[in-house]
Amino acid sequence: AQTVTQSQPEMSVQEAETVTLSCTYDTSESDYYLFWYKQPPSRQMILVIRQEAYKQQNATENRFSVNFQKAAKSFSLKISDSQLGDAAMYFCAYRSANSGTYKYIFGTGTRLKVLA
Amino acid sequence: DAGVTQSPTHLIKTRGQHVTLRCSPISGHKSVSWYQQVLGQGPQFIFQYYEKEERGRGNFPDRFSARQFPNYSSELNVNALLLGDSALYLCASSFDSGKGYTFGSGTRLTVV
């Protein structure tokens, strides 16, 4: 069975600085998707970035980028130029690419605090 | 376009009662999934429906059931509520779940 581990329950970053959130996963599959979701106090999960395992190039979305290390089964999220609005819970998620397997497996989350 | 809408936003029920939670997906999304998020944890997969058929079920007891209607909206039903069912219930819709879900803001269920 696949698992997702986020070992940092809480992180803090100064406004305008850079922070990296860690995520490791365990799977025997070769094709899958990885995601980072943000959950602010409003509770709505918001997709931040996604990575397809067959793509070697790391995904980027504006100030957000990932470091995808397939062999190490690591998928970290880097937030550059942190803003107060980035404060939230961040969840890493895995989804198999096998047809018929639709569930997302989430980690336990990392709470990010942004200090003014 | 409206996002994923869930109702109600908050609900308090007594042990042993049943509850129905509702979800309307984004227009054009035929897939709806349900997740349970207990305080301090990540969401746990309950069900996925696509074109009104169940496509996946998580490790939840038979007290949990769901269905999807012809307009792709969905209901999650929980019978014989337990205190441990208290959680945030999230609905998510997608056109292609490999590209990522769009989540609703959830229903906060409290069982007393």
Side-chain angles (χ1 to χ4, degrees), chain A residues 40-54:
Chain A
S42 67
R43 307 181 323 199
Q44 185 175 15
M45 301 276 281
I46 301 166
L47 178 63
V48 175
I49 200 166
R50 65 185 282 271
Q51 175 82 39
E52 294 168 273
Y54 69 87

Side-chain angles (χ1 to χ4, degrees), chain A:
Chain A
Q2 297 88 11
T3 59
V4 176
T5 301
Q6 293 179 252
S7 58
Q8 305 156 316
E10 189 172 294
M11 295 282 285
S12 296
V13 63
Q14 287 289 142
E15 200 175 3
E17 296 295 309
T18 296
V19 65
T20 298
L21 308 184
S22 300
C23 173
T24 59
Y25 58 93
D26 190 25
T27 184
S28 59
E29 299 176 328
S30 60
D31 198 12
Y32 46 86
Y33 305 96
L34 296 166
F35 306 87
W36 279 98
Y37 276 89
K38 168 185 177 181
Q39 188 177 40
S42 67
R43 307 181 323 199
Q44 185 175 15
M45 301 276 281
I46 301 166
L47 178 63
V48 175
I49 200 166
R50 65 185 282 271
Q51 175 82 39
E52 294 168 273
Y54 69 87
K55 290 186 176 179
Q56 293 186 337
Q57 185 174 8
N58 289 323
T60 63
E61 287 287 343
N62 301 314
R63 298 182 295 106
F64 299 87
S65 62
V66 298
N67 183 5
F68 173 49
Q69 300 290 328
K70 190 172 185 179
K73 297 179 182 175
S74 171
F75 183 61
S76 60
L77 174 69
K78 185 171 82 171
I79 306 174
S80 304
D81 185 25
S82 296
Q83 300 175 359
L84 294 176
D86 294 333
M89 285 291 292
Y90 286 81
F91 291 94
C92 178
Y94 170 102
R95 203 214 92 164
S96 169
N98 292 333
S99 62
T101 305
Y102 301 96
K103 68 178 183 181
Y104 282 31
I105 300 168
F106 286 87
T108 52
T110 295
R111 180 174 302 280
L112 179 66
K113 295 184 176 181
V114 181
L115 308 174

Side-chain angles (χ1 to χ4, degrees), chain B residues 51-72:
Chain B
E51 288 276 18
K52 295 163 285 182
E53 290 188 2
E54 183 183 301
R55 291 295 185 93
R57 172 187 282 257
N59 188 23
F60 281 81
D62 292 343
R63 300 184 296 107
F64 288 75
S65 63
R67 55 180 175 169
Q68 187 177 32
F69 299 99
N71 66 353
Y72 304 112

Side-chain angles (χ1 to χ4, degrees), chain B residues 9-103:
Chain B
T9 55
H10 296 85
L11 201 52
I12 299 175
K13 289 287 190 178
T14 303
R15 278 179 297 174
Q17 287 187 314
H18 77 274
V19 67
T20 298
L21 310 181
R22 295 179 174 83
C23 172
S24 293
I26 288 175
S27 178
H29 287 188
K30 299 180 179 179
S31 174
V32 170
S33 296
W34 288 94
Y35 286 78
Q36 180 196 65
Q37 187 178 17
V38 174
L39 193 62
Q41 297 183 18
Q44 297 288 317
F45 174 72
I46 309 175
F47 285 108
Q48 190 203 11
Y49 278 78
Y50 180 79
E51 288 276 18
K52 295 163 285 182
E53 290 188 2
E54 183 183 301
R55 291 295 185 93
R57 172 187 282 257
N59 188 23
F60 281 81
D62 292 343
R63 300 184 296 107
F64 288 75
S65 63
R67 55 180 175 169
Q68 187 177 32
F69 299 99
N71 66 353
Y72 304 112
S73 67
S74 179
E75 285 182 352
L76 175 70
N77 295 283
V78 187
N79 293 325
L81 285 166
L82 304 174
L83 295 179
D85 296 331
S86 296
L88 178 67
Y89 288 84
L90 295 166
C91 175
S93 75
S94 67
F95 180 77
D96 175 356
S97 65
K99 297 193 183 302
Y101 284 130
T102 300
F103 282 84

